[in-house]
């Protein structure tokens, strides 16, 4: 064990202190903490010097992996680079000093930004209007489904309680539907990865509230029969909900509103380059077609409170700093350049796919959009699994792609390079993936036992999820090794 691999408690030495406050001679005041809340025993904090604390946390930060430190090919997550100018703009004093309870009249610049961002998102997606209130993509999904439910109820059609979800859908789709009180009905996929329209026809009746889908779908494939699907769902009285997780390859090229979608949520951290939150802050704006505008939740940018509104899904109009970063990204690219993102993301994904399809099994051979899925190694005789490949990538300094999702394939490796990566980076990733495939054939134990040079090897993820250790307590520092 290296000295700086130790936990901060293991560095503790009795009597060592990281600060010194001289007696200023001030009159001591009585503590305002009630006696019942006062600590009766020492908190057991580590006793360390300031340099030890600084080095410890700096070392921990260097163990992290992020899009600023390397290639992050997570499929479905769209880990594109976050331009630093967005952060600078969000940190301007005129913006970060405002308070959410200020009257609208005192923040005209904020209201203009809300309005302009809503208009920009409407133009990009083909929707009539947006709410910026949801705090995350999943929150946006729930909001969109609440709008769908409210629409049917206000029309006296409250028997529509079923939502159709493709078998390749993101896991949040059925989860959001269940939270909204809807019954999930699964529609099958064809061997080519697209929706089985014939199966869809058998599911449509007067109990269907709508269908949730994304296009391109979770396999990175464009649903070419989308207009037919829209006509069928609308024909039975349902609505089309667009999961905006895969919007990035469509920027400036195709609009969900033009495909027939009625509701859409957008993950700003995916398509519009705001940082991934790790639990927050995030943003998941929801857009609707013209006939659903009255159903948008409160509070609203225009200040109106129509009777049909879907209620309040948050106390304020979204995470302002996140929305501001997305707006800065849109302005930075402009109309001309934003339409380059989708084609470049598609080019990068197809380049990796075609470069590796002789080493890894490609279950669907067609041209993909922004992402694609391998089904493990081409040579399955080695016993090397998708997890082994993912762990071995860490030894070479690359973050692993998404693994074991989607569930359509047993050994899924889902890769999405985004448009922001250079050919040199892609080539380096391709070389390592080919090297791992070769290692699997000639020295499979090296791959099966990876990673070999990371601070953490292979934790028991099931045990960690079921019995997480969330705090340092009653641990005795082990002897140095």
């Amino acid at each position: 064990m290296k000295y700086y691999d130790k936990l901060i408690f293991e560095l503790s030495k009795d009597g060592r202190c990281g600060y010194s406050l001289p007696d200023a001679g001030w009159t001591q005041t009585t503590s305002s903490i009630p006696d019942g809340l006062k600590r009766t025993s020492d908190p057991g904090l580590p006793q360390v010097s300031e340099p030890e604390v600084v080095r410890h946390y700096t070392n921990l930060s260097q163990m992290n992996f992020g899009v600023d430190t390397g290639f992050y090919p997570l499929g479905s997550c769209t880990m594109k680079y976050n331009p630093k100018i967005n952060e600078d703009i969000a940190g301007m004093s005129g913006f970060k000093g405002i308070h959410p309870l200020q009257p609208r009249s005192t923040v005209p610049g904020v209201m203009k930004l809300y309005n302009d961002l809503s208009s920009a998102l409407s133009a990009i997606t083909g929707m009539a209007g947006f709410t910026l209130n949801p705090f995350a993509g999943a929150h946006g999904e729930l909001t969109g489904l609440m709008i769908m439910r409210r629409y049917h109820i206000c029309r006296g059609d409250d028997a529509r309680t079923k939502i159709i979800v493709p078998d390749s859908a993101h896991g949040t789709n059925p989860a959001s539907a269940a939270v909204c009180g809807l019954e999930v009905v699964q529609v099958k996929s064809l061997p080519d990865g697209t929706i089985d329209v014939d199966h869809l026809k058998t599911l449509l009746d007067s109990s269907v509230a709508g269908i949730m889908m994304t296009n391109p779908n979770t396999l990175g494939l464009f649903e070419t029969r989308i207009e037919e699907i829209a006509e069928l769902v609308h024909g039975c009285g349902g609505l089309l909900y667009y999961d905006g997780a895969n919007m990035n390859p469509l920027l400036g090229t195709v609009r969900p509103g033009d495909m027939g979608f009625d509701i859409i949520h957008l993950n700003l951290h995916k398509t519009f380059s705001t940082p991934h939150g790790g639990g927050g802050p995030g943003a998941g704006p929801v857009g609707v077609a013209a006939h659903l505008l009255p159903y948008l939740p409160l509070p609203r940018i225009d200040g109106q409170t129509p009777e049909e509104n879907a209620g309040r899904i948050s106390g304020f109009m979204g995470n302002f700093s996140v929305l501001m970063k997305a707006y800065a990204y849109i302005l930075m690219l402009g109309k001309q350049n934003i339409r380059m993102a989708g084609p470049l993301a598609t080019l990068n994904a197809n380049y990796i796919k075609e470069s590796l399809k002789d080493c890894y099994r490609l279950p669907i051979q067609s041209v993909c959009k922004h992402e694609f899925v391998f089904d493990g190694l081409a040579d399955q005789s080695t016993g090397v699994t998708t997890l082994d490949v993912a762990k071995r990538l860490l030894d070479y300094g690359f973050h692993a792609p998404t693994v074991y999702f989607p569930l359509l394939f047993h050994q899924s490796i889902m890769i999405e390079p985004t448009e922001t990566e250079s050919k040199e980076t892609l080539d380096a990733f391709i070389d390592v993936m080919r090297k791992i495939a070769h290692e699997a054939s000639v020295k499979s134990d090296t791959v099966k036992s990876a990673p070999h040079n990371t601070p953490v090897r292979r934790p028991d993820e099931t045990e960690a999820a079921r019995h997480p250790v969330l705090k340092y307590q009653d641990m005795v520092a082990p002897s140095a090794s």
Side-chain angles (χ1 to χ4, degrees), residues 442-462:
V442 299
K443 47 180 180 180
S444 61
D445 286 346
T446 299
V447 184
K448 291 177 181 178
S449 58
H452 301 282
N453 55 17
T454 54
V456 178
R457 298 288 294 277
R458 290 203 186 193
D460 186 333
E461 296 176 8
T462 302

Side-chain angles (χ1 to χ4, degrees), residues 309-365:
N309 76 81
R312 286 182 177 267
I313 51 94
S314 59
F316 306 102
M317 283 185 280
N319 279 323
F320 178 63
S321 67
V322 179
L323 298 169
M324 190 163 34
K325 293 171 190 177
Y327 186 53
Y329 176 74
I330 293 171
L331 290 182
M332 180 178 65
L333 292 182
K335 274 185 181 180
Q336 295 78 16
N337 293 323
I338 201 168
R339 66 182 62 221
M340 295 174 62
L344 287 175
T346 299
L347 177 64
N348 282 353
N350 279 279
Y351 179 64
I352 294 178
K353 173 174 68 72
E354 293 299 312
S355 300
L356 292 175
K357 67 180 184 181
D358 62 323
C359 299
Y360 295 84
R361 288 198 298 185
L362 184 63
I364 298 174
Q365 298 289 328

Side-chain angles (χ1 to χ4, degrees), residues 147-225:
I147 291 171
M148 183 183 292
R149 285 283 284 148
R150 182 66 176 160
Y151 166 76
H152 289 306
I153 289 172
C154 286
R155 292 168 57 247
D157 205 359
D158 53 4
R160 292 186 179 272
T161 58
K162 294 181 181 177
I163 190 81
I164 299 172
V165 176
D167 56 8
S168 64
H170 296 119
T172 51
N173 289 179
S176 297
V179 170
C180 199
L182 293 165
E183 177 187 348
V184 176
V185 178
Q186 191 176 87
V187 60
K188 298 176 183 176
S189 294
L190 295 169
D192 68 0
T194 61
I195 285 178
D196 185 338
V197 176
D198 289 334
H199 182 227
L200 174 64
K201 291 176 182 177
T202 67
L203 304 176
L204 298 175
D205 57 33
S206 59
S207 66
V208 171
I211 184 172
M212 294 184 79
M213 56 186 295
T214 187
N215 196 19
N217 63 25
T218 309
L219 296 171
L221 305 171
F222 193 82
E223 298 280 356
T224 56
R225 300 177 68 179

Side-chain angles (χ1 to χ4, degrees), residues 285-452:
V286 172
V288 295
H291 63 287
L292 295 176
L293 286 173
Y295 302 92
L296 288 174
L298 304 177
R300 297 169 56 138
I301 298 170
D302 58 15
Q304 297 181 8
T305 57
E307 245 179 61
E308 302 94 331
N309 76 81
R312 286 182 177 267
I313 51 94
S314 59
F316 306 102
M317 283 185 280
N319 279 323
F320 178 63
S321 67
V322 179
L323 298 169
M324 190 163 34
K325 293 171 190 177
Y327 186 53
Y329 176 74
I330 293 171
L331 290 182
M332 180 178 65
L333 292 182
K335 274 185 181 180
Q336 295 78 16
N337 293 323
I338 201 168
R339 66 182 62 221
M340 295 174 62
L344 287 175
T346 299
L347 177 64
N348 282 353
N350 279 279
Y351 179 64
I352 294 178
K353 173 174 68 72
E354 293 299 312
S355 300
L356 292 175
K357 67 180 184 181
D358 62 323
C359 299
Y360 295 84
R361 288 198 298 185
L362 184 63
I364 298 174
Q365 298 289 328
S366 59
V367 173
C368 67
K369 292 299 179 185
H370 61 304
E371 63 189 1
F372 63 94
V373 180
F374 285 131
D375 189 13
L377 286 161
D379 181 3
Q380 295 284 300
S381 66
T382 65
V384 172
T385 66
T386 282
L387 181 62
D388 298 331
V389 172
K391 295 295 185 182
R392 185 59 173 152
L393 270 169
L394 303 180
D395 284 330
Y396 290 103
F398 285 105
H399 196 283
T402 299
V403 295
Y404 299 116
F405 179 82
L407 303 179
L408 294 176
F409 308 113
H410 183 59
Q411 292 290 330
S412 288
I413 305 175
M414 192 179 190
I415 300 173
E416 180 181 0
T418 80
E419 75 279 6
T420 52
E421 299 298 340
S422 68
K423 183 176 181 296
E424 289 76 15
T425 298
L426 302 184
D427 285 338
F429 176 73
I430 290 167
D431 288 345
V432 167
M433 287 289 283
R434 297 186 70 84
K435 184 179 292 186
I436 293 172
H438 176 69
E439 289 177 341
S441 299
V442 299
K443 47 180 180 180
S444 61
D445 286 346
T446 299
V447 184
K448 291 177 181 178
S449 58
H452 301 282

